[in-house]
Amino acid sequence: MAAAGVVSGKIIYEQEGVYIHSSCGKTNDQDGLISGILRVLEKDSEVIVDWRPLDDALDSSSILYAGKDSSSVVEWTQAPKERVHRGMEHLSSYEAEWDMVNTVSFRKKPHTNGDAPSHRNGKSKWSFLFSLTDLKSIKQNKEGMGWSYLVFCLKDDVVLPALHFHQGDSKLLIDSLEKYVVLCDSPQDKRTLLVNCQNKSLSQSFENLLDEPAYGLIQKIKKDPYTATMVGFSKVTNYIFDSLRGSDPSAHQRPPSEMADFLSDAIPGLKINQQEEPGFEVITRIDLGERPVVQRREPVSLEEWTKNIDSEGRILNVDNMKQMIFRGGLSHALRKQAWKFLLGYFPWDSTKEERTQLQKQKTDEYFRMKLQWKSVSEEQEKRNSRLRDYRSLIEKDVNRTDRTNKFYEGQDNPGLILLHDILMTYCMYDFDLGYVQGMSDLLSPLLYVMENEVDAFWCFASYMDQMHQNFEEQMQGMKTQLIQLSTLLRLLDSGFCSYLESQDSGYLYFCFRWLLIRFKREFSFLDILRLWEVMWTELPCKNFHLLLCCAILESEKQQIMEKHYGFNEILKHINELSMKIDVEDVLCRAEAISLQMAKCKELPQAVCDILGLQDSEVIMPDSDTGEDENVGVTNCLTPAFHSNSSPVLAASGSRDDSPTQLSVSPDVSRLTPA
C-alpha cells in the first residue's frame, strides 16, 4: 500500500485492521475506534515501526516528532489534571493501560510551509513511528481478553497507545521483530517482553554499550564501523553473544557463524580465507627456519642526537640515526625535534635556517585555514550541514580523548581547545575526508609532545597522509591490511589460522582497532610514544605494524588454543589485552619475525610484496652505530612458531593436508598500499 507520504523502505511486516481504542474501552462507540495500518520497514540500515490511521495513510504531515535528546518520534505531555507515572510499572492492569492512553496527548511537529492541515475527527494525532533501537519493552494482553493488543514502551519511558489487532493476533508482528532484536519475558511480569534482556552479571563498565540492542550494534558496525569499533568493541566482552541469545543460552537462535557473517559484512568486499578462489599461483611448502634472538638498546639520547648534526643544523648519517631510533626509540627530551623529521614535516637534509623559514610559512598557512572555519557565521553554518556534522563529532570526541592524561584532564582544559581547533582546521585542509572518529586518538600524542598548535597540526597532517586510507568511506585501507595480516599469519602459523577459522574468527576482526589507530588503545600513553616513533622509521620493512599484530597474536596463541576459546572468548580475551601488553617484548618479537622471513630464500611473492622485500632481504640494523652493544640492551628470546614447515594459503584459502601448497592470489600485490 505504498503511497505518497508513507515512510519509504523495504516492508517487513504490514497489517491492516490494527486499532487504537480512543474511547478508553468504556463504551462500544465506533467513533472511539481508530482503524490504522501497522508496518515494520527497513530504511537506511534502520528498522522502523510505523502506525497511522487509514485517513492519514497518504499524509506524512501527521507523523509525530521526537522530543529533545530522544531519537523516538513521539513527544508527549501529560494532561494537567490527570498526571500519571510513565513507566511500565504503572501498567499493572488493563485499565491502567487505558488510563495512559487517555491522559497522554501528542504534539504535532510544527509546519514550516504554512499552517498544519486539519484532519477529520482529529484522528491523525494518534499517528506514530519509532526506530526499533529505541524500543524498551512490549506489553501483551492477558489471554482470553478478546482482541489481542500490544503496548510499546520506548527507552525514554514514552508509552504509546495500545494497538488492538482486530484482524488476527499479534504473533506475526512479534515474529517479525525477533528477526532484529532479542525478546524475553520480564521476571516481574510475564506479559511484558523486554528487548535485548541483559545479563545482570556484566560489569557496569558496559553500560553505554548495553543500551544498544544487538541489532542496533550490528547495524552501527555496518553503517559506521569506526564508531562501532572504537566505542563498541572497546567495551564488548560477553555482550555480543548475551545480547543475541538472551539470558538463556539454550534459547540461542543465532550461531557464532551468523555473528561472524554480520561482522564480515561490516566491511564490504573483505573476503579472507575463502575456500575456492580461481587463478591462484601454487607455491610449495616453506620452511622459514629458526627465528633469531633480537636485542634492543636504550633510547637515543640528546647527546647522540647532537653528535649527528653539522654546523648548519643538518642531520648527518640519517640511515644510521633511523636505525638507532628503531632499536631503542627516543628519550622524551628529543621527541619534539625528532618527530618532525620522522613524520616528514622537516626534511632530513634541511638546515636550521631552512626549517625556520618553513615554520613561518606553515604558520601562515595554518592560520589562514583556521580563519576559514572561525569566520563562518551561525547563519552560514545553518546552511552547511557537513561543517555542522564535523563540528558536532569533533566536540563529542575531544571531550572523551585521553581525559585521564594530565595534559587533557579537567574542564576548560586548553589542551582540549587545541585538539578541537586542530581537528576543525584539518577539515579545511582535507574537506573531502573531514573528520572521522578515531582521528582525535592520532592527534592527541602529537599535541602532547609538540606543545605547539601549528607544529602539532602539520605533524598530524603528515601522519594522516600515512593513515588516510583507514578513514576513507570505502575502507580500502582496512580491507587491504586485514587481508595482508591474514596472509602473514597463515604463513607463520597455519594451524593457528585454521583454529581461528573454526571459531568463526578467521576475518581477524578483533584486530580492526589495532590497525585503525595504530594500537593507540592497546598500549599505555607513554608506550604509544615509543611504539609510534619506532614505526615511523619505516624499518626494518614495509608494513611492520602487521608484524606487530602477528607478534601479539603469537604471544596469546597458546592460551587461546589450549583453553579452546570460541568466538566470544577470543573477542573478550583480545579486548582485555588493552594496557597489558609489553611494548618492548612485542617490538622484539616483531623484529625477530622480520629477520626470520628475510633469511627465508623461498618466501612467497605475496609476502615479499606486503613487506616490501626484494630477494627476501630485509633492511638489517647497522651494528656500526658507535654505541656499546653490551650496555642497556634487552635480550628477547623469541622461539619460532611450531609450524615453520606447515601448509599455508596466502590471502585466502584453507589448509590442505595433501602435498602442502601455498595459494597466492594474483590480486594481493595489487592490494598492497604504495
Side-chain angles (χ1 to χ4, degrees):
M1 295 189 65
V6 176
V7 177
S8 61
K10 179 183 177 183
I11 297 178
I12 305 302
Y13 168 92
E14 185 175 60
Q15 178 66 54
E16 294 185 13
V18 180
Y19 286 74
I20 287 178
H21 293 191
S22 64
S23 60
C24 304
K26 297 178 181 178
T27 72
N28 290 323
D29 180 8
Q30 291 302 307
D31 287 339
L33 302 182
I34 306 173
S35 177
I37 300 175
L38 180 64
R39 295 186 180 94
V40 179
L41 309 101
E42 276 190 6
K43 177 178 171 60
D44 298 331
S45 299
E46 190 173 17
V47 174
I48 301 294
V49 178
D50 177 20
W51 183 92
R52 67 188 62 209
L54 286 174
D55 288 347
D56 292 336
L58 303 181
D59 187 356
S60 63
S61 65
S62 63
I63 298 175
L64 302 172
Y65 72 109
K68 185 177 181 182
D69 299 326
S70 170
S71 56
S72 63
V73 297
V74 294
E75 178 175 307
W76 67 282
T77 55
Q78 292 173 310
K81 295 181 180 179
E82 300 180 72
R83 295 195 180 277
V84 294
H85 297 292
R86 291 186 291 165
M88 283 302 294
E89 67 277 2
H90 177 68
L91 301 181
S92 57
S93 68
Y94 184 74
E95 289 73 25
E97 291 162 8
W98 286 120
D99 290 342
M100 180 59 67
V101 173
N102 190 39
T103 57
V104 173
S105 62
F106 296 81
R107 293 206 303 265
K108 297 274 183 59
K109 183 175 180 179
H111 288 71
T112 56
N113 298 320
D115 295 332
S118 60
H119 296 278
R120 290 177 294 166
N121 302 326
K123 294 180 181 179
S124 64
K125 71 178 183 178
W126 299 108
S127 301
F128 63 79
L129 62 80
F130 60 87
S131 170
L132 200 54
T133 59
D134 295 323
L135 184 60
K136 178 180 179 182
S137 60
I138 305 173
K139 182 128 184 177
Q140 306 174 91
N141 61 296
K142 291 180 182 178
E143 292 186 9
M145 283 195 66
W147 292 310
S148 65
Y149 69 87
L150 297 176
V151 179
F152 294 112
C153 180
L154 306 185
K155 286 184 178 179
D156 49 8
D157 287 333
V158 168
V159 179
L160 299 175
L163 297 179
H164 296 254
F165 293 75
H166 289 203
Q167 300 177 12
D169 61 28
S170 57
K171 188 177 184 303
L172 285 177
L173 173 62
I174 297 297
D175 291 343
S176 297
L177 297 181
E178 283 188 318
K179 295 177 182 178
Y180 302 100
V181 293
V182 175
L183 300 175
C184 62
D185 293 336
S186 167
Q188 288 77 31
D189 183 357
K190 294 301 182 183
R191 294 168 54 200
T192 298
L193 297 174
L194 300 179
V195 177
N196 185 37
C197 33
Q198 301 168 4
N199 185 334
K200 299 301 182 183
S201 65
L202 290 181
S203 166
Q204 290 300 309
S205 65
F206 297 0
E207 276 183 0
N208 292 337
L209 187 59
L210 287 172
D211 286 340
E212 292 292 340
Y215 174 78
L217 172 64
I218 292 165
Q219 291 306 311
K220 283 189 174 181
I221 294 174
K222 289 185 175 182
K223 189 173 182 180
D224 187 353
Y226 307 112
T227 304
T229 303
M230 303 301 298
V231 179
F233 285 168
S234 65
K235 304 185 184 96
V236 74
T237 54
N238 291 326
Y239 164 69
I240 287 182
F241 271 79
D242 286 339
S243 64
L244 282 175
R245 64 179 172 234
S247 57
D248 181 6
S250 65
H252 185 191
Q253 300 297 315
R254 303 182 184 185
S257 59
E258 183 175 335
M259 186 63 192
D261 289 339
F262 276 130
L263 291 166
S264 63
D265 288 345
I267 310 178
L270 174 61
K271 298 294 181 185
I272 299 175
N273 303 326
Q274 296 297 300
Q275 298 290 330
E276 299 177 2
E277 284 286 348
F280 276 70
E281 174 190 356
V282 178
I283 299 177
T284 55
R285 182 193 302 263
I286 300 167
D287 184 351
L288 291 177
E290 291 298 316
R291 187 174 299 175
V293 174
V294 170
Q295 296 179 330
R296 287 189 61 76
R297 51 155 287 162
E298 288 293 315
V300 176
S301 66
L302 184 59
E303 181 181 2
E304 288 175 308
W305 178 267
T306 305
K307 284 181 179 178
N308 278 272
I309 299 178
D310 68 14
S311 58
E312 294 185 326
R314 294 185 185 87
I315 307 299
L316 303 174
N317 201 349
V318 174
D319 290 342
N320 182 60
M321 178 58 68
K322 286 184 178 180
Q323 289 162 3
M324 292 168 63
I325 295 171
F326 172 77
R327 297 299 299 277
L330 294 159
S331 61
H332 189 69
L334 263 179
R335 285 180 171 136
K336 190 178 295 188
Q337 298 180 59
W339 280 20
K340 295 169 189 173
F341 292 94
L342 288 170
L343 285 165
Y345 176 30
F346 286 170
W348 284 96
D349 59 352
S350 61
T351 65
K352 183 177 180 181
E353 178 61 28
E354 288 170 342
R355 294 193 291 271
T356 300
Q357 292 301 316
L358 178 63
Q359 278 184 303
K360 289 180 180 179
Q361 173 191 333
K362 291 296 186 181
T363 298
D364 290 343
E365 189 174 345
Y366 173 78
F367 283 108
R368 280 198 301 272
M369 290 186 292
K370 184 174 182 178
L371 184 61
Q372 290 174 5
W373 65 267
K374 279 281 192 179
S375 60
V376 174
S377 68
E378 290 185 11
E379 287 299 315
Q380 285 178 295
E381 192 161 324
K382 287 179 182 178
R383 295 183 291 273
N384 191 331
S385 60
R386 290 184 68 186
L387 185 60
R388 288 198 311 272
D389 291 345
Y390 290 154
R391 186 192 296 274
S392 175
L393 197 54
I394 288 170
E395 289 174 353
K396 183 186 298 183
D397 276 10
V398 162
N399 284 326
R400 59 190 183 195
T401 300
D402 292 324
R403 296 307 301 276
T404 57
N405 187 305
K406 289 185 177 180
F407 193 79
Y408 299 110
E409 69 180 4
Q411 298 297 319
D412 300 320
N413 188 301
L416 298 179
I417 296 172
L418 290 179
L419 273 179
H420 171 274
D421 288 2
I422 292 172
L423 291 170
M424 284 296 297
T425 305
Y426 186 80
C427 292
M428 300 295 106
Y429 176 78
D430 188 346
F431 207 82
D432 287 340
L433 179 63
Y435 179 78
V436 179
Q437 281 192 302
M439 288 166 58
S440 61
D441 278 284
L442 300 184
L443 172 60
S444 172
L446 297 172
L447 180 58
Y448 171 84
V449 167
M450 294 299 152
E451 299 180 302
N452 177 281
E453 181 178 4
V454 175
D455 290 343
F457 172 83
W458 289 111
C459 287
F460 175 67
S462 296
Y463 197 13
M464 282 302 301
D465 287 344
Q466 303 175 29
M467 304 292 290
H468 200 281
Q469 278 195 320
N470 282 16
F471 297 95
E472 292 172 0
E473 185 175 0
Q474 298 302 315
M475 290 182 288
Q476 186 58 52
M478 296 304 300
K479 296 177 195 176
T480 299
Q481 290 172 87
L482 286 169
I483 291 171
Q484 292 173 334
L485 177 57
S486 177
T487 300
L488 294 174
L489 191 60
R490 184 169 293 279
L491 174 67
L492 290 167
D493 195 331
S494 64
F496 186 35
C497 275
S498 296
Y499 178 82
L500 292 176
E501 289 166 17
S502 72
Q503 304 303 320
D504 298 295
S505 298
Y507 286 96
L508 307 178
Y509 52 84
F510 45 77
C511 298
F512 190 98
R513 189 178 66 192
W514 297 0
L515 300 172
L516 179 68
I517 52 172
R518 289 294 191 270
F519 309 99
K520 171 61 165 53
R521 302 281 182 93
E522 319 313 318
F523 293 88
S524 70
F525 196 84
L526 293 180
D527 282 350
I528 275 297
L529 306 185
R530 174 60 40 78
L531 187 69
W532 282 4
E533 64 199 13
V534 168
M535 289 193 292
W536 291 337
T537 64
E538 299 180 339
L539 296 175
C541 59
K542 189 169 69 173
N543 287 316
F544 182 63
H545 67 287
L546 298 180
L547 298 185
L548 291 169
C549 293
C550 292
I552 297 173
L553 292 175
E554 174 196 26
S555 67
E556 304 305 319
K557 167 195 168 184
Q558 183 176 357
Q559 182 171 344
I560 289 172
M561 295 186 70
E562 287 185 356
K563 294 189 176 181
H564 306 290
Y565 283 168
F567 174 94
N568 193 36
E569 291 79 17
I570 293 171
L571 177 64
K572 179 179 184 291
H573 179 71
I574 296 298
N575 182 65
E576 290 180 348
L577 293 177
S578 179
M579 303 301 157
K580 299 176 184 176
I581 308 172
D582 186 324
V583 68
E584 294 295 333
D585 177 66
V586 169
L587 285 169
C588 280
R589 287 176 181 270
E591 183 184 354
I593 292 172
S594 70
L595 296 174
Q596 181 185 26
M597 289 188 175
K599 292 179 181 178
C600 177
K601 298 185 181 301
E602 299 177 346
L603 206 62
Q605 187 59 45
V607 175
C608 290
D609 291 340
I610 292 169
L611 301 180
L613 304 180
Q614 298 296 328
D615 299 324
S616 296
E617 290 184 1
V618 72
I619 302 174
M620 303 290 289
D622 191 348
S623 60
D624 185 17
T625 58
E627 64 187 303
D628 186 346
E629 293 289 350
N630 297 317
V631 178
V633 170
T634 300
N635 288 321
C636 301
L637 301 177
T638 52
F641 279 95
H642 295 299
S643 54
N644 285 335
S645 258
S646 58
V648 293
L649 294 176
S652 63
S654 62
R655 182 169 182 169
D656 185 359
D657 292 326
S658 58
T660 319
Q661 298 177 332
L662 173 68
S663 300
V664 182
S665 168
D667 292 335
V668 169
S669 59
R670 177 175 53 80
L671 287 171
T672 305

